[in-house]
Amino acid sequence: MEALRQDDPRRFGRFTALARFDEGASAVRYVARDTASGEVALVTAARPELAAVPVFSRRFQAEARTAERLAGGWVAPPLDPGDTAETPADEAELLWTAAGYVPALPLAEAIGIAGPLPERALRILGAGIAEILSRVHAAGSVLQGLAPGTVLLAADGPRLTAFGPLGAAASAEAGPGGQLSVRLGYLTPEQIEGKEVSAASDLFVLGLLLAYAATGTTPFTEGPAEEAARRIAEDEPELDAVPEALRELIANCLAKDPDLRPSAGTVAAELALEGAAGLARGGWLPEPLAAAVADQEARVLALEVPEEGDAAAEPGEADAAAAPEDARALREPEGARKAPEPEDVRPSDAPRPVEASATPEPAQAPATPEPEDARPLPAPPVEAPALQKPDDAAAPQSDGDIGEDRGTTRFLNTGPRPPQNDRPTTQLALPHELTAPAPPAHPAPPAAPLALPAAPFAPQQGHTHGGPAPYPAAALPAGPAGPGGPGQGPMVSLPLPPAPAPAPDPAASRRTLLTIAAAAVGGLIVGGGSVAALGSGDTAVATDDKPAPKPRRTLPGQAPDPRWIYAHPASESAPLTTALWQDKLLVVTSESQASAVDLRTGKRLWQRADGAKGQAALAAGADLVFVASPTEFLWLSPKSGKVVHRVRYTEAFDDLPGLTVGRLAGSSGPAIWFTGSHTVTEKAPKPKKGKKKGKDKKVVEAYFFAYDIVQRKELWRTSVPAGRDPGTPAYRVVAERSADVLVRQDAVSLTAAEVKKAKGKGSVRSFDQKTGKLLWTKQYGAASLEAATTGDEDGTLYAAVGQDLQAFEADTTKPLWRVEGSDDSRFGTPLIAGPLIHTTERSRLVGAVERESGRLVWRRSTEVPGIGNAPSLTLSGSEKTLIAADAIQVTAFSAADGERLWKFQDIGSADPKGETVRASYRALAFGETVVVQRDRSFYAFPVA
């Protein structure tokens, strides 16, 4: 971090610049503060010479929108820029973004301070970045934003600060005719071969990044410079110094064939199954790094708003006049070690580092005075015909495409060196929003300009201490002019956004953009915040129909603010069941009681011990809450929870002594269906003359019941085969028709004899609606005992058959259609919604097919890594929003076309000593609200 230069902007909307944070190939970052609120921000301002190039401006905005859609997880939402002053007519309009300050160290600086990271820190680092990549790839995009300079280590986890090639560029140059040359620091085998990048390319770079973090060096750098390209494309990486437990995974990421690399979700799951945030709880940084992060935050808090005279002072005067105390805020962290740039890897055409001093000698002035940092960068390389694509050959020079230089194998920090700083400086890492308010702003008395300690400064493009050794300039085949010349390598087009940027806030400047610096917790915002996912398209819209509280804006892909949050008391036992009553109450049962929460406010209304261990509450008419407890049926007052009616099983079913009631199989209007069993004694038959009397036997008798909870009377019962010990079979109603109900028995409650008789196939039973008589039992194709099954009122059953979903005529078992599933997966229970059936798979795919034909309408991923239980599905009251909930997260989709709207995760308490939450998510919908539950936490989100 260094003092502001004479030509640096002083204001960015409501923020006043305090100091330069660092500078990259395409932008300069500033630490800034809102003097009214004390809020500290990181402002990223595009270099003026690049901002004037239209293609750069479009790409800058596209990457800003990518960051905005990724808000949540290890990426923070943007800051409100506030009112921006009009730009004078003779000045170029600024192109900038703003984010909260996060105390953090760049990965390269962290390696320089403490050396390679230990295995646990490597797992958290890799899992956090992989979680971001998983969301990007699920939308069909490629990030191309990974490099040691774009990854930061904060106290609670890693951060990513670049969301495309511009942010991760080793160099960016504006050329004639609106051309833009961008060179990436990390290259992949497919890029060297001139092929298109894909999601697998991000995984190769992630492998390089993890290998560097684990060893302090980058694979493929050892050896002659002219063979570097061949080493990347052909040689196996040297990973002996990588921890053994991670060696295979990193090697897989570095596979030459993109098809052999794992997915981002797989990497995240293998590194930290509980998620990076869960693994990082309680701290994750080695002690020297944790101390450096804390020291950095203190120094940033000590920065004062500079006086106007500070900016106008000459560099030499500022440094000479400053008192030593003034420089303390920017002092280098103790223990940082600086590694000199290796002679054999320094580009031959790059200037040697200049050792800065407290009073640098002024550079020779040019004939026409011009700020050093405003000079145009060298012209971009000329197209190399050897690797040029046919389409590119015919493209005019002025088409405005962005170029990615594949003609270099240099890693980050090796582009053309920017001018030396006006003042010597030390480096400071990327920021986070403060946990304590900033000191109040006081009018500063006239004082000497800000002084900085004398220390060597390594620009971002140079090889910094502890940073990865750059690849030599001649690593890839050079063009006609040789290394570093115009023929450095071919330029390939970087994809421009498919749609223009959304219209900015009218109060903001035309070019002022909101983006983020990474913040929050990997994929999570602790304690009830929301998490956003990258939407499936650039024009995704926010799902929150409530007025958004200021200063936050509603972001595309970000979960809307909950209407309310309810925390079940920690002093009580955890919830067992939850249900909605009449769109007015959330009724929660536990081991100790039943309680009710007002759905309008999220406030608890009452609790009743009689409802302990009760099953999900139902509406018994318009004015009573029905709860089935282990020993009795209860009818409770919705206002107070008082017991209005009570029917004990011993009284209602007095001819079945000792009746044990199983779980409810289903309900429709006032009717509920359930199973029950009791044990009877069968007398031994009278022995024949001269024979001993046999022993009496205990036999379990089971029944299937229908009961009216409004009239409080039994409708019918029918004898059914007893289930596995203790004897009550577990039934589930899969379809209700006018004449019958179709029921399926859970495989876990089948006896060994029934399993053997079934020969691996499941069956469905039909019971008469009026009498309960068993009408028939049928099997459907090869549907297994565990196959997910449901049906509709028209007499069609939908069952998982192997990896596919198949439809059958219920009465005849005739197959109707089949939908193919994904490899090594199984369909879960589908959800019927009008003309569609919404599907769910263990591979975390959710979709919709037509009921009549089985034609696939859409299919999307929830972006959850790995294979698990298929997400459970819930439709909003309007049936416009489909909610998929599993053990990892809740994902909202547009039911009509599958557009991914938002995702939500919550790990519960932020207390490092708190218990890790492992319960699955549940979703309950009513009206324009969906209640999301995980263990003791409940969130009411607005939905369409």
Side-chain angles (χ1 to χ4, degrees):
M1 195 166 70
E2 60 173 299
L4 297 172
R5 299 180 185 177
Q6 289 181 334
D7 53 342
D8 281 333
R10 294 303 188 269
R11 296 284 299 181
F12 298 92
R14 62 188 176 101
F15 299 105
T16 301
L18 303 177
R20 274 189 167 222
F21 179 78
D22 66 3
E23 57 182 317
S26 62
V28 178
R29 292 192 286 202
Y30 301 90
V31 176
R33 180 181 292 139
D34 181 348
T35 55
S37 67
E39 185 177 29
V40 181
L42 183 76
V43 172
T44 302
R47 293 186 179 277
E49 67 271 22
L50 298 177
V53 179
V55 68
F56 177 94
S57 177
R58 293 199 299 271
R59 185 74 204 192
F60 189 92
Q61 295 179 46
E63 292 187 15
R65 291 197 302 275
T66 296
E68 189 172 281
R69 290 194 300 273
L70 282 171
W74 302 111
V75 179
L79 296 181
D80 182 1
D83 296 329
T84 55
E86 290 187 9
T87 304
D90 58 343
E91 294 183 13
E93 196 168 17
L94 295 175
L95 184 64
W96 61 278
T97 66
Y101 169 71
V102 183
L105 299 173
L107 178 59
E109 184 178 340
I111 299 299
I113 293 173
L117 299 180
E119 180 182 331
R120 178 170 174 268
L122 286 170
R123 288 183 175 276
I124 294 167
L125 169 66
I129 301 304
E131 287 168 5
I132 298 175
L133 292 179
S134 179
R135 291 191 280 152
V136 174
H137 297 167
S141 302
V142 181
L143 184 67
Q144 298 188 83
L146 296 182
T150 67
V151 174
L152 308 166
L153 311 183
D156 56 357
R159 299 291 189 271
L160 182 63
T161 63
F163 305 93
L166 291 186
S171 69
E173 304 169 4
Q179 288 286 89
L180 182 67
S181 165
V182 174
R183 296 195 187 101
L184 296 179
Y186 273 180
L187 295 181
T188 66
E190 52 268 29
Q191 287 175 300
I192 291 173
E193 295 172 3
K195 298 179 181 178
E196 293 296 325
V197 296
S198 65
S201 303
D202 282 338
L203 270 298
F204 186 93
V205 177
L206 177 59
L208 292 175
L209 204 66
L210 291 178
Y212 166 66
T215 64
T217 61
T218 307
F220 310 117
T221 55
E222 296 297 328
E226 61 272 15
E227 296 182 6
R230 181 196 57 78
R231 291 196 298 272
I232 295 175
E234 300 174 8
D235 287 2
E236 293 301 318
E238 178 56 53
L239 301 176
D240 290 346
V242 173
E244 184 176 357
L246 304 181
R247 200 172 299 156
E248 181 179 358
L249 179 62
I250 293 177
N252 291 340
C253 291
L254 295 175
K256 307 302 180 186
D257 185 353
D259 293 336
L260 298 181
R261 297 171 199 157
S263 67
T266 298
V267 172
E270 290 194 21
L271 289 174
L273 187 59
E274 67 272 56
L279 188 58
R281 293 176 68 183
W284 71 294
L285 292 177
E287 186 174 345
L289 300 184
V293 170
D295 179 66
Q296 177 194 119
E297 181 177 18
R299 286 182 283 122
V300 169
L301 282 171
L303 289 174
E304 295 291 341
V305 176
E307 294 289 325
E308 290 298 325
D310 292 357
E314 289 297 321
E317 298 173 358
D319 293 343
E325 290 79 10
D326 297 332
R328 291 176 183 170
L330 301 177
R331 186 172 301 155
E332 183 80 10
E334 293 184 10
R337 58 191 186 210
K338 178 162 293 195
E341 184 177 19
E343 290 289 327
D344 59 349
V345 297
R346 184 180 292 118
S348 58
D349 59 331
R352 289 182 175 273
V354 178
E355 293 294 326
S357 62
T359 311
E361 295 181 9
Q364 173 123 15
T368 303
E370 181 180 34
E372 282 286 324
D373 56 357
R375 293 178 183 170
L377 294 171
V382 178
E383 299 282 358
L387 295 177
Q388 189 173 3
K389 296 186 294 185
D391 292 341
D392 295 334
Q397 289 290 328
S398 59
D399 61 359
D401 282 346
I402 299 178
E404 167 196 317
D405 190 354
R406 292 179 178 165
T408 178
T409 54
R410 302 181 205 168
F411 276 23
L412 191 68
N413 301 334
T414 63
R417 301 173 71 87
Q420 283 299 111
N421 302 312
D422 294 61
R423 304 174 183 179
T425 183
T426 57
Q427 290 183 327
L428 198 66
L430 189 80
H432 185 117
E433 61 187 308
L434 304 175
T435 55
H442 299 291
L450 176 66
L452 303 172
F457 171 68
Q460 182 177 349
Q461 282 77 5
H463 179 48
T464 59
H465 62 279
Y471 281 162
L476 280 185
Q488 244 178 343
M491 305 302 296
V492 294
S493 296
L494 293 175
L496 286 175
D505 188 337
S509 166
R510 177 172 57 88
R511 279 192 170 186
T512 299
L513 301 173
L514 297 179
T515 186
I516 58 90
V521 194
L524 316 171
I525 293 203
V526 180
S530 57
V531 169
L534 181 67
S536 0
D538 277 348
T539 56
V541 295
T543 58
D544 189 358
D545 53 7
K546 297 167 48 183
K550 290 188 176 182
R552 175 191 164 188
R553 296 188 312 165
T554 301
L555 302 174
Q558 183 169 355
D561 289 328
R563 301 185 191 278
W564 50 258
I565 300 173
Y566 168 71
H568 191 74
S571 58
E572 301 177 7
S573 54
L576 294 176
T577 69
T578 54
L580 302 181
W581 182 84
Q582 298 283 56
D583 293 356
K584 296 178 181 178
L585 298 180
L586 171 69
V587 181
V588 181
T589 66
S590 67
E591 292 282 347
S592 58
Q593 63 188 9
S595 57
V597 175
D598 190 331
L599 285 176
R600 296 173 304 163
T601 64
K603 305 295 184 182
R604 179 186 271 194
L605 298 178
W606 50 260
Q607 56 263 16
R608 178 65 56 178
D610 302 76
K613 301 180 182 179
Q615 298 192 49
L618 298 171
D623 54 0
L624 292 176
V625 179
F626 172 83
V627 175
S629 81
T631 59
E632 59 189 349
F633 291 149
L634 298 172
W635 287 262
L636 309 178
S637 165
K639 294 182 179 180
S640 63
K642 178 181 178 181
V643 177
V644 179
H645 302 291
R646 186 193 307 266
V647 174
R648 293 183 173 87
Y649 303 148
T650 55
E651 298 171 356
F653 311 102
D654 54 4
D655 58 330
L656 302 174
L659 177 68
T660 298
V661 173
R663 74 171 191 214
L664 298 183
S667 65
S668 178
I672 62 172
W673 297 282
F674 61 93
T675 53
S677 67
H678 75 133
T679 303
V680 298
T681 302
E682 285 188 353
K683 296 290 185 179
K686 185 177 181 180
K688 294 182 179 179
K689 187 176 182 180
K691 300 290 183 179
K692 291 184 178 181
K693 183 179 179 181
K695 294 183 178 181
D696 296 343
K697 293 192 302 183
K698 298 289 186 180
V699 177
V700 175
E701 293 180 346
Y703 299 89
F704 185 42
F705 296 86
Y707 190 90
D708 190 315
I709 61 175
V710 173
Q711 299 184 40
R712 301 193 296 281
K713 70 175 184 179
E714 180 181 344
L715 298 177
W716 48 256
R717 78 177 74 159
T718 187
S719 179
V720 295
R724 187 186 298 269
D725 187 58
T728 304
Y731 281 7
R732 182 173 66 87
V733 174
V734 297
E736 181 195 6
R737 303 189 292 183
S738 59
D740 62 352
V741 289
L742 304 184
V743 175
R744 184 175 173 83
Q745 184 174 350
D746 286 355
V748 294
S749 69
L750 292 170
T751 64
E754 288 175 317
V755 172
K756 183 178 180 180
K757 182 180 179 182
K759 297 181 179 180
K761 295 183 178 182
S763 60
V764 173
R765 296 182 174 99
S766 169
F767 293 92
D768 187 275
Q769 277 270 32
K770 294 182 179 180
T771 65
K773 177 183 177 181
L774 177 63
L775 301 178
W776 47 256
T777 302
K778 298 180 184 294
Q779 294 179 327
Y780 295 85
S784 67
L785 294 168
E786 299 84 9
T789 307
T790 194
D792 59 28
E793 70 282 358
D794 298 329
T796 304
L797 280 181
Y798 310 94
V801 180
Q803 295 181 173
D804 303 332
L805 180 68
Q806 196 163 354
F808 301 89
E809 284 186 355
D811 294 317
T812 66
T813 72
K814 175 184 176 181
L816 300 176
W817 49 255
R818 178 190 298 264
V819 174
E820 292 185 358
S822 52
D823 293 340
D824 300 322
S825 183
R826 295 288 186 275
F827 278 92
T829 303
L831 178 65
I832 299 171
L836 298 179
I837 301 171
H838 291 292
T839 62
T840 174
E841 300 180 54
R842 293 184 59 200
S843 57
R844 315 303 175 99
L845 292 175
V846 175
V849 299
E850 293 180 349
R851 284 173 63 180
E852 285 292 326
S853 64
R855 184 183 70 86
L856 183 64
V857 178
W858 60 264
R859 182 179 285 171
R860 300 283 187 275
S861 171
T862 63
E863 306 177 20
V864 171
I867 298 291
N869 292 329
S872 61
L873 302 180
T874 305
L875 272 174
S876 63
S878 66
E879 299 191 353
K880 293 180 179 179
T881 304
L882 179 68
I883 307 295
D886 57 26
I888 307 298
Q889 70 185 29
V890 173
T891 311
F893 298 88
S894 167
D897 57 15
E899 178 186 2
R900 194 179 296 103
L901 303 176
W902 50 263
K903 67 165 61 171
F904 174 78
Q905 295 178 338
D906 170 49
I907 61 171
S909 172
D911 182 4
K913 299 181 180 178
E915 182 180 357
T916 301
V917 178
R918 303 187 185 279
S920 295
Y921 291 91
R922 295 190 62 211
L924 304 168
F926 70 98
E928 297 181 347
T929 302
V930 60
V931 177
V932 170
Q933 177 205 358
R934 194 181 197 198
D935 195 40
R936 298 175 181 272
S937 300
F938 297 81
Y939 307 87
F941 291 109
V943 292

